[in-house]
Amino acid sequence: MNFGAYGDAGASQFGGGGFMPSPAPGHDNQYGAGGGGQQKGRSQNNSLRAFTIRHLLKETANVEDDRYKADGHDITTVTIVGKVTSYREQSTRVLLQLHDGTASMEVCSWVDDADMQAQKPIEWQVGRYVRVYGNLKTFEGKRSITAFAVKPVTDHNEVTYHFLQCVMQHLHLTKGAPPTGQPLAPGKAAPYGSTPAATAPYGAPGGGYGGAAPAAAAPAGGDIHSDLKAVYNLPHATAAPNGLSVEAAHAELQRMGRAHYNLQQVMQACEYLAAEGVLYSTVNDTTFKSTGA
Amino acid sequence: MAGIDEAIPRVNFETMQRYHGRKVILCCQISQIDNGTVRVTTSDKGEVTIVGGSSPYEGRFAEVMGTVVGPTNIQELEHTNLSDNFSLDMYNELVKLAHKDAYIGMFST
């Protein structure tokens, strides 16, 4: 199971540059005029979003041109995970029908070399789950995805994870990042609360959630990460050129009534938040400032 | 909505009850395999009997797609064997989330 891709996507999952694997040069030609126009306009704003097919179809239902939007934001690359329900090989491309439990969609994958062509029938069998990365296309009123990557799903937790990610991104884009300084409301925290215990490897994808990660991944013994993030986002902390030292943050926490954290816990939490991209160290290893993530 | 075909919702024992007569996807833990019937435990600790499967069940977990024919019975159309590290807990959280009013539109309505 390799969730490295999610780690890279990180904070740039929601648009604004960064991670975006461009389609191989050979594929550009085959997108046609519509696709070319789309890419020109989007070169500054590539994003990768996870969708359920139903959500994707609904959001793009009334679009006439090639500029697709969902949850109020432009869509560039999408990723869906679903079961292959039909498979058809043509001379230059493979056509898959994917059903992800919410709806069905056609996926078209251009095949360049004979090498790749031989691989497909084995990995993309009907009845197998695959993950697709690609761009939304419309042809004769029907939506489809032109894929530049199709990967078999080997760990079924990836399927569960994908749907959770869809909900999370939808929430993030429609309601904004979770409020800083407050622990996530029980209703929201519940879906994530059980996961660190249930599946240890999920520590890594937590990073892909950007701002939500520190609170979601916090150990059960107290929400030190979101408390600390709140401290570092206090006006005087963000205004200070070098931010706050760990000692100062610790003192702030005590003033906030969080007296049960000791200095070492605060230090460890600062390092964790720095690794997550929420804080960065300034003049030395024990002074941090908020990145605003 | 025109153009969007039927959803096959992911369910647990509790939500399965809303889909009598309809196709669902149930991820579950296998408790017992008899001649053509498989008894499973759902992600919310319910007991369901799956009938009509033809291909073999392997390992501890499976994702079954079938029609709900009774409160504890599913007629299988097909199933996928899942690896032993499958998290039924995380799946259960997903099922609950996918049935919330706020998000159900992304999944099955």
Side-chain angles (χ1 to χ4, degrees), chain A residues 24-25 33 50 103 118-119 121 127 156 159 163 167 174 184 192 197 202 208 218-219 226 238 240 249 268 278 291:
Chain A
Q119 222 182 43
H156 208 79
V159 178
F163 291 118
V167 174
T174 53
L184 290 177
Y192 303 110
Y202 284 85
S226 50
T238 55
Q268 280 175 354
V278 176
T291 60

mmCIF file of all heavy atoms in Angstrom, chain A residues 24-25 33 50 103 118-119 121 127 156 159 163 167 174 184 192 197 202 208 218-219 226 238 240 249 268 278 291:
data_model
loop_
_atom_site.group_PDB
_atom_site.id
_atom_site.type_symbol
_atom_site.label_atom_id
_atom_site.label_comp_id
_atom_site.label_asym_id
_atom_site.label_seq_id
_atom_site.Cartn_x
_atom_site.Cartn_y
_atom_site.Cartn_z
ATOM 1 N N ALA A 24 1.842 12.649 -19.711
ATOM 2 C CA ALA A 24 3.045 12.455 -20.525
ATOM 3 C C ALA A 24 2.894 13.246 -21.820
ATOM 4 O O ALA A 24 1.800 13.366 -22.345
ATOM 5 C CB ALA A 24 3.216 10.974 -20.823
ATOM 6 N N PRO A 25 3.982 13.776 -22.330
ATOM 7 C CA PRO A 25 3.907 14.626 -23.536
ATOM 8 C C PRO A 25 3.131 13.979 -24.673
ATOM 9 O O PRO A 25 2.385 14.625 -25.363
ATOM 10 C CB PRO A 25 5.372 14.816 -23.942
ATOM 11 C CG PRO A 25 6.127 14.630 -22.670
ATOM 12 C CD PRO A 25 5.340 13.678 -21.823
ATOM 13 N N ALA A 33 -8.668 19.808 -29.248
ATOM 14 C CA ALA A 33 -8.706 21.266 -29.064
ATOM 15 C C ALA A 33 -9.286 21.642 -27.712
ATOM 16 O O ALA A 33 -8.769 22.504 -27.023
ATOM 17 C CB ALA A 33 -9.522 21.891 -30.178
ATOM 18 N N ALA A 50 -10.446 14.322 -5.312
ATOM 19 C CA ALA A 50 -11.074 13.003 -5.261
ATOM 20 C C ALA A 50 -12.581 13.175 -5.362
ATOM 21 O O ALA A 50 -13.147 14.045 -4.712
ATOM 22 C CB ALA A 50 -10.726 12.324 -3.935
ATOM 23 N N ALA A 103 -22.311 5.659 -8.891
ATOM 24 C CA ALA A 103 -22.756 5.811 -10.276
ATOM 25 C C ALA A 103 -21.687 5.197 -11.167
ATOM 26 O O ALA A 103 -20.667 4.698 -10.690
ATOM 27 C CB ALA A 103 -22.950 7.281 -10.637
ATOM 28 N N ALA A 118 -0.085 -4.946 -23.031
ATOM 29 C CA ALA A 118 -0.126 -6.334 -22.564
ATOM 30 C C ALA A 118 -0.477 -6.389 -21.089
ATOM 31 O O ALA A 118 -1.128 -7.317 -20.623
ATOM 32 C CB ALA A 118 1.219 -7.000 -22.816
ATOM 33 N N GLN A 119 -0.073 -5.366 -20.372
ATOM 34 C CA GLN A 119 -0.283 -5.374 -18.929
ATOM 35 C C GLN A 119 -1.743 -5.213 -18.546
ATOM 36 O O GLN A 119 -2.210 -5.774 -17.585
ATOM 37 C CB GLN A 119 0.491 -4.206 -18.334
ATOM 38 C CG GLN A 119 1.218 -4.524 -17.081
ATOM 39 C CD GLN A 119 1.895 -3.266 -16.572
ATOM 40 O OE1 GLN A 119 1.325 -2.191 -16.575
ATOM 41 N NE2 GLN A 119 3.132 -3.408 -16.153
ATOM 42 N N PRO A 121 -4.908 -6.089 -19.518
ATOM 43 C CA PRO A 121 -5.928 -7.113 -19.296
ATOM 44 C C PRO A 121 -5.758 -7.815 -17.957
ATOM 45 O O PRO A 121 -6.737 -8.219 -17.343
ATOM 46 C CB PRO A 121 -5.703 -8.096 -20.445
ATOM 47 C CG PRO A 121 -5.035 -7.297 -21.505
ATOM 48 C CD PRO A 121 -4.217 -6.286 -20.793
ATOM 49 N N GLY A 127 -14.425 -6.607 -12.580
ATOM 50 C CA GLY A 127 -14.611 -7.049 -11.202
ATOM 51 C C GLY A 127 -13.496 -6.573 -10.275
ATOM 52 O O GLY A 127 -13.609 -6.695 -9.059
ATOM 53 N N HIS A 156 -7.804 -2.858 -0.051
ATOM 54 C CA HIS A 156 -9.163 -2.345 -0.152
ATOM 55 C C HIS A 156 -9.446 -1.171 0.769
ATOM 56 O O HIS A 156 -10.420 -0.448 0.596
ATOM 57 C CB HIS A 156 -10.165 -3.476 0.111
ATOM 58 C CG HIS A 156 -11.465 -3.273 -0.591
ATOM 59 N ND1 HIS A 156 -11.668 -3.542 -1.917
ATOM 60 C CD2 HIS A 156 -12.643 -2.782 -0.137
ATOM 61 C CE1 HIS A 156 -12.904 -3.246 -2.248
ATOM 62 N NE2 HIS A 156 -13.530 -2.782 -1.187
ATOM 63 N N VAL A 159 -10.061 2.013 -0.911
ATOM 64 C CA VAL A 159 -11.406 2.348 -1.383
ATOM 65 C C VAL A 159 -12.145 3.138 -0.312
ATOM 66 O O VAL A 159 -12.726 4.189 -0.569
ATOM 67 C CB VAL A 159 -12.189 1.058 -1.733
ATOM 68 C CG1 VAL A 159 -13.601 1.396 -2.176
ATOM 69 C CG2 VAL A 159 -11.472 0.279 -2.836
ATOM 70 N N PHE A 163 -13.299 7.414 -0.399
ATOM 71 C CA PHE A 163 -14.609 8.012 -0.150
ATOM 72 C C PHE A 163 -14.578 8.993 1.009
ATOM 73 O O PHE A 163 -15.239 10.033 0.996
ATOM 74 C CB PHE A 163 -15.674 6.937 0.065
ATOM 75 C CG PHE A 163 -15.976 6.176 -1.189
ATOM 76 C CD1 PHE A 163 -15.754 4.812 -1.276
ATOM 77 C CD2 PHE A 163 -16.454 6.840 -2.307
ATOM 78 C CE1 PHE A 163 -16.021 4.123 -2.446
ATOM 79 C CE2 PHE A 163 -16.720 6.154 -3.493
ATOM 80 C CZ PHE A 163 -16.497 4.791 -3.553
ATOM 81 N N VAL A 167 -15.498 13.164 0.879
ATOM 82 C CA VAL A 167 -16.330 13.930 1.802
ATOM 83 C C VAL A 167 -15.516 15.061 2.404
ATOM 84 O O VAL A 167 -15.964 16.201 2.506
ATOM 85 C CB VAL A 167 -16.879 13.029 2.933
ATOM 86 C CG1 VAL A 167 -17.623 13.859 3.957
ATOM 87 C CG2 VAL A 167 -17.805 11.966 2.361
ATOM 88 N N THR A 174 -16.385 23.647 0.758
ATOM 89 C CA THR A 174 -17.642 24.377 0.919
ATOM 90 C C THR A 174 -17.705 25.092 2.246
ATOM 91 O O THR A 174 -18.318 26.138 2.370
ATOM 92 C CB THR A 174 -18.853 23.427 0.808
ATOM 93 O OG1 THR A 174 -18.674 22.343 1.725
ATOM 94 C CG2 THR A 174 -18.978 22.856 -0.593
ATOM 95 N N LEU A 184 -12.151 19.740 17.116
ATOM 96 C CA LEU A 184 -13.202 19.423 16.158
ATOM 97 C C LEU A 184 -14.442 18.978 16.911
ATOM 98 O O LEU A 184 -14.348 18.245 17.878
ATOM 99 C CB LEU A 184 -12.769 18.286 15.227
ATOM 100 C CG LEU A 184 -11.675 18.648 14.232
ATOM 101 C CD1 LEU A 184 -11.301 17.414 13.434
ATOM 102 C CD2 LEU A 184 -12.132 19.737 13.282
ATOM 103 N N TYR A 192 -12.662 10.269 12.156
ATOM 104 C CA TYR A 192 -11.212 10.113 12.179
ATOM 105 C C TYR A 192 -10.739 9.507 13.477
ATOM 106 O O TYR A 192 -9.686 8.935 13.532
ATOM 107 C CB TYR A 192 -10.530 11.466 11.988
ATOM 108 C CG TYR A 192 -10.955 12.129 10.715
ATOM 109 C CD1 TYR A 192 -11.754 13.247 10.734
ATOM 110 C CD2 TYR A 192 -10.569 11.602 9.488
ATOM 111 C CE1 TYR A 192 -12.152 13.836 9.560
ATOM 112 C CE2 TYR A 192 -10.977 12.182 8.320
ATOM 113 C CZ TYR A 192 -11.756 13.306 8.353
ATOM 114 O OH TYR A 192 -12.152 13.884 7.201
ATOM 115 N N ALA A 197 -6.207 4.231 15.573
ATOM 116 C CA ALA A 197 -6.088 2.975 16.305
ATOM 117 C C ALA A 197 -6.323 1.781 15.396
ATOM 118 O O ALA A 197 -5.609 0.797 15.431
ATOM 119 C CB ALA A 197 -7.089 2.963 17.462
ATOM 120 N N TYR A 202 -2.255 4.681 8.651
ATOM 121 C CA TYR A 202 -2.943 5.904 8.262
ATOM 122 C C TYR A 202 -2.384 7.146 8.891
ATOM 123 O O TYR A 202 -2.900 8.214 8.699
ATOM 124 C CB TYR A 202 -4.451 5.780 8.486
ATOM 125 C CG TYR A 202 -5.022 4.928 7.408
ATOM 126 C CD1 TYR A 202 -5.029 3.556 7.508
ATOM 127 C CD2 TYR A 202 -5.457 5.508 6.221
ATOM 128 C CE1 TYR A 202 -5.478 2.781 6.478
ATOM 129 C CE2 TYR A 202 -5.911 4.721 5.187
ATOM 130 C CZ TYR A 202 -5.924 3.367 5.327
ATOM 131 O OH TYR A 202 -6.364 2.594 4.304
ATOM 132 N N GLY A 208 -1.950 14.593 4.322
ATOM 133 C CA GLY A 208 -2.625 15.058 3.124
ATOM 134 C C GLY A 208 -3.849 15.895 3.424
ATOM 135 O O GLY A 208 -4.380 16.563 2.564
ATOM 136 N N ALA A 218 -4.547 13.709 16.460
ATOM 137 C CA ALA A 218 -4.112 13.901 17.843
ATOM 138 C C ALA A 218 -4.329 12.638 18.652
ATOM 139 O O ALA A 218 -5.328 11.960 18.480
ATOM 140 C CB ALA A 218 -4.893 15.052 18.478
ATOM 141 N N PRO A 219 -3.378 12.300 19.516
ATOM 142 C CA PRO A 219 -3.560 11.114 20.355
ATOM 143 C C PRO A 219 -4.735 11.319 21.292
ATOM 144 O O PRO A 219 -5.123 12.449 21.575
ATOM 145 C CB PRO A 219 -2.246 11.024 21.137
ATOM 146 C CG PRO A 219 -1.622 12.358 21.012
ATOM 147 C CD PRO A 219 -2.146 13.018 19.786
ATOM 148 N N SER A 226 -4.235 20.714 18.293
ATOM 149 C CA SER A 226 -5.096 21.836 17.896
ATOM 150 C C SER A 226 -4.976 22.986 18.887
ATOM 151 O O SER A 226 -5.044 24.150 18.505
ATOM 152 C CB SER A 226 -6.541 21.422 17.678
ATOM 153 O OG SER A 226 -7.016 20.681 18.751
ATOM 154 N N THR A 238 1.435 35.541 15.649
ATOM 155 C CA THR A 238 1.644 35.672 14.205
ATOM 156 C C THR A 238 2.290 37.005 13.867
ATOM 157 O O THR A 238 2.980 37.133 12.859
ATOM 158 C CB THR A 238 0.331 35.527 13.416
ATOM 159 O OG1 THR A 238 -0.611 36.475 13.938
ATOM 160 C CG2 THR A 238 -0.243 34.135 13.549
ATOM 161 N N ALA A 240 4.587 38.501 15.817
ATOM 162 C CA ALA A 240 5.994 38.488 16.249
ATOM 163 C C ALA A 240 6.859 37.962 15.119
ATOM 164 O O ALA A 240 6.565 36.937 14.540
ATOM 165 C CB ALA A 240 6.154 37.595 17.480
ATOM 166 N N ALA A 249 5.011 29.265 24.237
ATOM 167 C CA ALA A 249 3.792 28.557 23.842
ATOM 168 C C ALA A 249 3.245 27.769 25.018
ATOM 169 O O ALA A 249 2.037 27.715 25.245
ATOM 170 C CB ALA A 249 4.088 27.621 22.664
ATOM 171 N N GLN A 268 7.425 18.265 21.644
ATOM 172 C CA GLN A 268 7.155 17.186 20.681
ATOM 173 C C GLN A 268 6.016 17.562 19.755
ATOM 174 O O GLN A 268 6.047 17.299 18.556
ATOM 175 C CB GLN A 268 6.790 15.902 21.416
ATOM 176 C CG GLN A 268 8.009 15.175 21.931
ATOM 177 C CD GLN A 268 7.622 13.960 22.767
ATOM 178 O OE1 GLN A 268 6.441 13.739 23.041
ATOM 179 N NE2 GLN A 268 8.599 13.193 23.164
ATOM 180 N N VAL A 278 2.343 22.880 9.616
ATOM 181 C CA VAL A 278 1.502 23.875 10.301
ATOM 182 C C VAL A 278 2.372 24.959 10.926
ATOM 183 O O VAL A 278 1.989 26.114 11.024
ATOM 184 C CB VAL A 278 0.650 23.179 11.390
ATOM 185 C CG1 VAL A 278 -0.155 24.174 12.187
ATOM 186 C CG2 VAL A 278 -0.267 22.152 10.742
ATOM 187 N N THR A 291 2.483 28.648 9.928
ATOM 188 C CA THR A 291 2.557 28.847 8.473
ATOM 189 C C THR A 291 1.234 29.378 7.940
ATOM 190 O O THR A 291 1.112 29.750 6.794
ATOM 191 C CB THR A 291 2.848 27.524 7.735
ATOM 192 O OG1 THR A 291 1.791 26.610 8.043
ATOM 193 C CG2 THR A 291 4.174 26.945 8.157
#
